[in-house]
């Protein structure tokens, strides 16, 4: 025991650990003679150790420990044995078992400090899930997972899925309760889990608008006394009754919830009272609503309640209390700090970085939204009460402006002034509106620009384009980044047909505000005027991506495709227009025109007929429908359309001639004669009418034929004299004036039977042919020197689809000495009648006994 040294309290247990031992110095190995000798000779290449214990031939060599007799043992390099006593100093005690070594010092053992040679650790013992406790835990986890899945489904809008998950959670929760009762753990029922399941199920029923089931679920929770604070859910039940418009019951449940909530929950009580006030407003009980709102404004004022209070006072017409309520509204504290704290200072870099980080964070956005909402309520309340609180709305606006100027919303005063001008506009008092807006010319730039923009727009509507341009320039000078001012400037240039410059201003407005739809629309119109159709198409396609249901944009796209000669695309876009505005007669008529151009007469007729139903005064549609029925040999149906055209344009003789021609074509000669007589009474100098009267009287053998023949000669003579005077003067201008007189006054001439429809020449060809065919009834008086038989034969095969031709011999000079004979030939202007189709009926042969009398004996008894 003499070699055992006990550690004393005064000694340092870890002394000598930092002492440097030259034996472990690897840097001096090159100068170590013993080490070099071992490397060069077989002494350094000894065979590996065997399994025997290390020792000598004499006997086993004892291992040295700190508790036994020590024999200093060194390695081949003289390394000291671990735990040996050196220089009489005791080595500190270490672990009994060294890391990486075993107690059996066998030869050939490898260095394995991590114990990897022992193989993998044995698997953990599996839990026994068959026990009731484990089953209950697993079932509880499933219920919680289902509740969470239900809530997540509801958050993404999958309401049906959320309801299914909630129902499944309810079923599993009931199974869990039964299992607890079976195991005798009924006292350990998880009430919180049951509450969560029932509440989630009620919420999902309410979200899916299954209100009776939701009320039943809420009732289960409310009636269970074991649930704490379940009375609050009566607010949810009251909300459901409110949605069902069962207002008395909603108020009842709101008040029950209010009774069960203590005064410590002040905010919740205020919200419930606000709901009660809203229900009273819906019921029309404004006095009760005012009581609730006034209590809230005295306890915890807020913007929404103040606005509702003003509405109630407005409903009962109390002017003074409206003023007081407005003053309370503008004095409600918002609890928002000034924007000055978001202005960075130039000195402190770290604070500037913090300000930059919070400048647009969620909290600042919430503050901005709250301020915008407050300004909206104040502006709406001012516009509502201004016309009623004083004798005139101008005085009321002035009072509101004064109140706002003395509050925290000073910047709203200018907006109220502009709203005052807009109110003048709604009352058609343009002068007062202009005067009000002109007062802003000396204000700050923002308000000045807004006022000048409105003034420019007013002058533009009044077609005072110079003043509109001046105020547009003033608005741009005050605020160059005002897109409305740039659009007004472009509009004035557009009216002056300077489309290039107008397009430049529209582009600048788009650069300032890329979402400005007015600038994009006007830019497309400018490109269309410049015949840059592809660029215009690009503009309107972009606009269609922004305004998906704009009928104007889709119509412009259809028109552009029509100009690009892509009829199918034009028809598709017009079909989209019809889907948005199915009663637009112009779009329907345009569809009919396109289908007619494609040769689809039946589809064109359908769209023209729908257009006529919605707007029966479009003369072009009436003209096409009448021509369609004449072409399909249904003249009786065409009469109603031409009669309507006669009502719309009573001074146009062509419509009345059409009606008479349809009567004659359908075989009603008496009605045709009466119609022609009526036309002659209204237009006594119409040549075509007189020719048909002569022809009809001749065919019918009436004595009036000579009277009409004499009148026809006089009218033709007057016409020839007029034409002779025209030839001696300036033909161009004189002809235009003459056609204008004849078209408006119904005088004789070639223009009386020409249908004026330049926009739809192709569609209206057939109707034009109808009128032309009537005007081609020529007499030898006007056709002298020409082959009358050729003229007669050429008109017999005339169809409705023929092109318009001017009246023959309309420019023939007057021949006084030529014999004048009345044209007695009759040619149907609507073309020859269709032949009757042959039938297969066999002709009845003459009976040889047809003339014989039958005796009584041959008759049947």
């Amino acid at each position: 025991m003499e070699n055992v040294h006990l550690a004393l309290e005064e000694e340092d247990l870890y002394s000598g650990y930092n002492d440097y031992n030259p034996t472990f110095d690897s840097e001096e190995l090159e100068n170590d003679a013993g080490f070099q000798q071992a490397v060069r000779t077989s002494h350094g290449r000894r065979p590996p150790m065997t399994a025997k214990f290390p020792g000598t031939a004499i006997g086993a060599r004892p291992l040295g420990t700190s508790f036994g007799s020590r024999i200093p043992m060194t390695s081949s390099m003289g390394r000291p044995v671990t735990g040996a006593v050196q220089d009489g100093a005791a080595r500190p005690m270490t672990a009994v078992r060294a890391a990486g070594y075993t107690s059996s010092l066998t030869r050939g053992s490898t260095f394995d400090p991590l114990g990897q040679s022992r193989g993998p650790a044995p698997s953990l013992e599996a839990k026994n899930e068959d026990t009731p406790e484990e089953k209950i835990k697993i079932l509880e986890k499933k219920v919680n997972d289902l509740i969470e899945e239900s809530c997540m489904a509801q958050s993404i809008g999958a309401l049906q899925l959320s309801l299914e998950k909630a129902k499944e959670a309810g079923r599993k929760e009931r199974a869990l309760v039964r299992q607890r009762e079976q195991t005798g753990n009924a006292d350990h029922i998880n009430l919180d889990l049951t509450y969560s399941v029932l509440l989630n199920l009620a919420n999902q029923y309410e979200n899916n608008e299954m209100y009776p089931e939701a009320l039943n679920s809420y009732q289960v929770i409310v009636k269970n006394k074991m649930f704490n604070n379940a009375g609050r859910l009566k607010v949810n039940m009251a909300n459901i009754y409110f949605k069902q418009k069962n207002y008395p019951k909603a108020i009842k449940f709101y008040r029950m919830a209010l009774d069960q909530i203590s005064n410590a929950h002040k905010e919740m009580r205020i919200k419930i009272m606000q709901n009660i006030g809203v229900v009273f407003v819906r019921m029309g009980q404004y006095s009760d609503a005012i009581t609730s709102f006034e209590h809230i404004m005295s306890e915890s004022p807020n913007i929404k309640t103040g606005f509702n209070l003003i509405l109630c006072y407005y409903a009962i017409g109390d002017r003074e209390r409206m003023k007081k309520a407005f003053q309370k509204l503008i004095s409600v504290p918002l609890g928002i700090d000034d924007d000055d704290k978001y202005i960075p200072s130039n000195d402190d870099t770290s604070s500037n970085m913090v300000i930059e980080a919070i400048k647009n964070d969620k909290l600042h956005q919430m503050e901005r939204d709250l301020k915008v909402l407050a300004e909206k309520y104040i502006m709406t309340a001012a516009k509502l009460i201004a016309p009623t609180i004083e004798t005139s709305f101008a005085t009321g606006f002035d009072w509101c402006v004064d109140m706002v100027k003395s509050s925290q919303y000073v910047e709203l005063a200018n907006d109220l002034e502009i709203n005052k001008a807009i109110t003048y506009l709604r009352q058609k008092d343009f002068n007062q509106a202009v005067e009000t807006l002109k007062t802003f010319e000396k204000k700050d730039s923002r308000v000045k620009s807004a006022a000048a923009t409105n003034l420019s727009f007013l002058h533009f509507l009044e077609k005072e384009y110079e003043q509109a341009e001046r105020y547009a320039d003033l608005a741009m000078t005050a605020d160059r980044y005002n897109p409305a001012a740039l659009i007004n400037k472009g509009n004035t240039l557009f009216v002056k047909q300077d489309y290039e410059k107008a397009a430049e201003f529209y582009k600048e407005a788009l650069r300032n505000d890329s979402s400005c739809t007015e600038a994009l629309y006007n830019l497309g119109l400018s490109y269309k005027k410049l015949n840059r159709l592809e660029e215009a198409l690009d503009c309107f396609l972009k606009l269609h991506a922004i305004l998906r249901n704009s009928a104007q944009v889709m119509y412009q796209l259809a028109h552009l495709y029509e100009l690009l000669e892509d009829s199918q695309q034009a028809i598709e876009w017009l079909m989209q227009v019809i889907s948005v505005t199915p009663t637009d007669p112009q779009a329907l008529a345009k569809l009919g025109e396109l289908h007619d151009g494609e040769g689809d007469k039946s589809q064109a007729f359908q769209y023209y007929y729908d257009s006529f139903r919605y707007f029966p005064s479009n003369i072009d549609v009436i003209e096409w429908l009448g021509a369609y029925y004449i072409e399909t040999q249904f003249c009786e149906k065409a009469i109603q359309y031409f009669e309507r055209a006669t009502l719309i344009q009573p001074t146009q003789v062509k419509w009345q001639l059409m009606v008479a021609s349809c009567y004659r074509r359908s075989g009603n000669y008496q009605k045709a004669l009466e119609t022609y007589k009526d036309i002659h009474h209204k237009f006594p100098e119409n040549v075509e009418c007189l020719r048909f009267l002569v022809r009809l009287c001749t065919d019918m053998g009436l004595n009036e034929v000579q009277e009409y023949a004499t009148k026809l000669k006089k009218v033709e003579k007057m016409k020839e004299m007029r034409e002779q005077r025209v030839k001696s003067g300036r033909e161009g201008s004189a002809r235009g004036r003459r056609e204008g007189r004849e078209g408006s006054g119904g005088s004789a001439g070639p223009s009386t039977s020409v249908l004026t429809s330049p926009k739809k020449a192709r569609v209206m060809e057939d109707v034009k042919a109808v009128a032309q065919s009537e005007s081609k009834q020529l007499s030898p008086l006007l056709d002298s020197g020409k082959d009358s038989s050729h003229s007669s034969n050429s008109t017999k095969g005339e169809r409705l689809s023929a092109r318009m031709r001017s009246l023959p011999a309309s420019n023939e000079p007057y021949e006084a000495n030529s014999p004048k004979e009345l044209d007695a030939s009759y040619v149907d202007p609507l073309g020859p009648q269709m032949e009757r189709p042959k039938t297969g009926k066999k002709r009845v042969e003459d009976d040889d006994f047809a003339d014989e009398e039958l005796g009584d004996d041959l008759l049947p008894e």
Side-chain angles (χ1 to χ4, degrees), residues 140-326:
E140 279 188 355
K141 187 176 184 305
K142 287 182 180 179
V143 172
N144 284 316
D145 291 342
L146 285 171
I147 294 174
E148 185 176 352
E149 290 174 6
S150 174
C151 295
M152 294 300 293
Q154 191 269 334
S155 65
I156 62 175
L159 301 180
Q160 189 64 34
L161 178 62
S162 66
L163 180 59
E164 293 297 328
K165 295 287 184 182
K167 288 181 178 179
E168 187 176 355
R171 289 192 293 268
K172 289 190 177 299
E173 194 273 335
R174 287 192 294 273
L176 175 63
V177 171
R178 286 195 300 270
Q179 192 166 351
R180 283 186 183 276
E181 291 175 351
Q182 291 173 2
T183 58
N185 294 328
D187 296 337
H188 297 85
I189 293 176
N190 192 345
L191 291 177
D192 292 338
L193 185 62
T194 306
Y195 183 87
S196 301
V197 168
L198 291 174
L199 180 59
N200 181 58
L201 182 61
N203 285 333
Q204 302 312 327
Y205 276 132
E206 184 178 356
N207 292 331
N208 284 272
E209 297 183 358
M210 301 170 67
Y211 298 131
E213 293 84 352
L215 288 172
N216 291 335
S217 299
Y218 283 128
Q219 198 72 30
V220 171
I221 302 174
V222 170
K223 287 185 177 180
N224 195 333
K225 302 299 183 182
M226 299 178 67
F227 296 138
N228 296 325
N229 299 322
R232 298 183 182 183
L233 295 182
K234 292 184 179 179
V235 176
N236 295 12
M237 300 176 69
N239 291 339
I240 294 176
Y241 286 124
F242 180 81
K243 292 177 183 177
Q244 292 179 332
K245 297 184 179 180
N246 191 351
Y247 300 129
K249 210 154 191 177
I251 291 178
K252 175 184 175 182
F253 274 84
Y254 278 134
R255 286 178 171 168
M256 290 169 64
L258 194 64
D259 293 338
Q260 295 185 11
I261 295 175
S262 63
N263 293 327
H265 302 89
K266 182 178 178 182
E267 291 297 326
M268 183 175 290
R269 291 179 61 86
I270 290 295
K271 290 180 180 179
I272 295 174
M273 292 189 68
Q274 189 169 350
N275 288 357
I276 293 174
V278 171
V279 176
F280 277 130
V281 171
R282 289 295 183 92
M283 296 174 64
Q285 299 178 14
Y286 299 112
S287 300
D288 296 330
I290 288 171
T291 303
S292 297
F293 292 143
E294 283 182 343
H295 176 74
I296 296 172
M297 292 300 289
S298 62
E299 294 291 332
S300 177
N302 60 79
I303 290 292
K304 188 177 292 186
T305 305
F307 181 72
N308 289 338
L309 184 60
I310 291 176
L311 292 180
C312 292
Y313 286 142
Y314 179 82
I316 64 176
D318 194 335
R319 295 184 179 182
E320 294 300 323
R321 297 173 82 178
M322 267 191 276
K323 289 183 178 181
K324 293 180 180 178
F326 185 77

Side-chain angles (χ1 to χ4, degrees), residues 752-770:
T752 55
S753 61
V754 179
L755 301 180
T756 57
S757 179
K759 290 189 291 184
K760 300 186 179 181
R762 200 181 159 88
V763 180
M764 303 308 165
E765 269 176 16
D766 300 340
V767 185
K768 293 179 181 179
V770 176

Side-chain angles (χ1 to χ4, degrees), residues 656-761:
Q656 302 180 42
L657 290 173
M658 293 289 183
V659 174
S661 180
C662 289
Y663 279 126
R664 190 181 71 253
R665 174 71 174 173
S666 60
N668 194 347
Y669 296 108
Q670 187 62 38
K671 189 70 174 177
L673 180 64
E674 294 175 1
T675 306
Y676 278 125
K677 286 182 178 180
D678 186 51
I679 296 171
H680 175 66
H681 179 71
K682 295 178 181 177
F683 305 98
E685 295 183 357
N686 188 272
V687 178
E688 288 83 358
C689 180
L690 287 170
R691 286 174 183 168
F692 284 115
L693 279 171
V694 171
R695 183 62 221 170
L696 279 176
C697 290
T698 303
D699 292 346
M700 297 173 70
L702 300 177
N703 297 329
E704 301 170 350
V705 61
Q706 191 61 37
E707 175 187 354
Y708 291 122
T710 305
K711 290 182 179 180
L712 177 61
K713 290 181 181 180
K714 290 181 180 180
V715 171
E716 288 177 341
K717 185 182 295 185
M718 291 174 58
K719 179 180 178 181
E720 290 181 358
M721 293 176 61
R722 194 177 297 119
E723 291 172 353
Q724 194 173 18
R725 287 197 301 270
V726 168
K727 280 190 174 182
S728 62
R730 292 175 297 180
E731 294 184 0
S733 60
R735 186 180 298 111
R737 288 194 298 271
R738 185 181 71 250
E739 289 176 357
R741 288 195 303 272
E742 292 170 355
S744 61
S747 60
S751 64
T752 55
S753 61
V754 179
L755 301 180
T756 57
S757 179
K759 290 189 291 184
K760 300 186 179 181

Side-chain angles (χ1 to χ4, degrees), residues 250-516:
I251 291 178
K252 175 184 175 182
F253 274 84
Y254 278 134
R255 286 178 171 168
M256 290 169 64
L258 194 64
D259 293 338
Q260 295 185 11
I261 295 175
S262 63
N263 293 327
H265 302 89
K266 182 178 178 182
E267 291 297 326
M268 183 175 290
R269 291 179 61 86
I270 290 295
K271 290 180 180 179
I272 295 174
M273 292 189 68
Q274 189 169 350
N275 288 357
I276 293 174
V278 171
V279 176
F280 277 130
V281 171
R282 289 295 183 92
M283 296 174 64
Q285 299 178 14
Y286 299 112
S287 300
D288 296 330
I290 288 171
T291 303
S292 297
F293 292 143
E294 283 182 343
H295 176 74
I296 296 172
M297 292 300 289
S298 62
E299 294 291 332
S300 177
N302 60 79
I303 290 292
K304 188 177 292 186
T305 305
F307 181 72
N308 289 338
L309 184 60
I310 291 176
L311 292 180
C312 292
Y313 286 142
Y314 179 82
I316 64 176
D318 194 335
R319 295 184 179 182
E320 294 300 323
R321 297 173 82 178
M322 267 191 276
K323 289 183 178 181
K324 293 180 180 178
F326 185 77
Q327 292 174 349
K328 289 181 181 179
L329 178 64
I330 60 178
S331 62
V332 171
L334 295 179
I336 298 175
D337 296 333
D338 296 333
D339 290 338
D340 296 340
K341 70 177 182 181
Y342 297 107
I343 300 175
S345 59
N346 298 325
D347 301 334
D348 193 354
T349 307
S350 60
S351 64
N352 290 346
M353 294 177 64
V354 173
I355 290 172
E356 190 67 26
I358 67 173
K359 185 179 293 184
N360 200 30
D361 63 349
K362 294 290 183 65
L363 181 59
H364 193 201
Q365 291 177 6
M366 187 184 71
E367 290 178 349
R368 282 201 299 262
D369 294 341
L370 181 59
K371 188 173 182 181
V372 169
L373 183 65
E375 291 177 353
K376 175 187 174 183
Y377 282 141
I378 292 171
M379 289 290 295
T380 307
K383 289 188 287 185
L384 178 69
I385 68 173
T388 58
I389 57 176
E390 299 291 345
T391 55
S392 66
F393 90 93
T395 311
F397 261 108
D398 293 339
W399 181 87
C400 291
V401 169
D402 293 338
M403 291 295 104
V404 170
K405 284 182 179 179
S406 61
S407 69
Q408 55 183 328
Y409 305 98
V410 182
E411 63 274 8
L412 290 181
N414 293 325
D415 295 334
L416 279 174
E417 289 281 358
I418 293 179
N419 274 285
K420 178 181 176 182
I422 294 174
T423 308
Y424 276 124
L425 288 177
R426 289 182 179 143
Q427 295 182 353
K428 309 297 183 183
D429 194 349
F430 297 104
N431 295 327
Q432 285 291 335
V434 171
E435 291 298 325
T436 305
L437 290 172
K438 284 183 178 180
T439 59
F440 290 96
E441 293 184 6
K442 296 181 181 179
K443 298 286 181 70
D444 61 341
S445 59
R446 185 186 67 85
V447 181
K448 181 179 180 180
S449 178
T453 302
N454 289 337
L455 283 170
S456 175
F457 178 68
L458 284 175
H459 287 296
F460 186 85
L461 291 180
E462 294 178 354
K463 297 183 179 181
E464 298 175 357
Y465 300 122
E466 296 298 330
Q467 289 292 328
E469 187 173 7
R470 185 174 75 85
Y471 280 106
D473 292 334
L474 184 62
M476 288 192 301
T477 304
D479 184 5
R480 184 69 185 187
Y481 297 99
N482 184 0
L486 294 167
I487 292 173
N488 286 344
K489 176 68 174 179
N491 290 345
T492 57
L493 294 172
F494 188 94
V495 171
K496 294 180 180 179
Q497 299 183 358
D498 192 353
Y499 304 119
E500 288 285 355
K501 288 185 178 179
E504 291 299 324
F505 280 103
Y506 296 144
K507 289 178 184 177
E508 186 177 354
L510 283 172
R511 285 194 295 269
N512 294 337
D513 183 6
S514 58
S515 63
C516 186

Side-chain angles (χ1 to χ4, degrees), residues 555-572:
Y555 188 86
Q556 291 294 336
L557 285 167
H559 189 224
L560 284 170
Y561 278 116
E562 183 187 4
L563 296 176
L564 292 169
E565 298 181 356
D566 191 349
S567 300
Q568 292 300 323
Q569 283 287 342
I571 289 173
E572 288 182 9

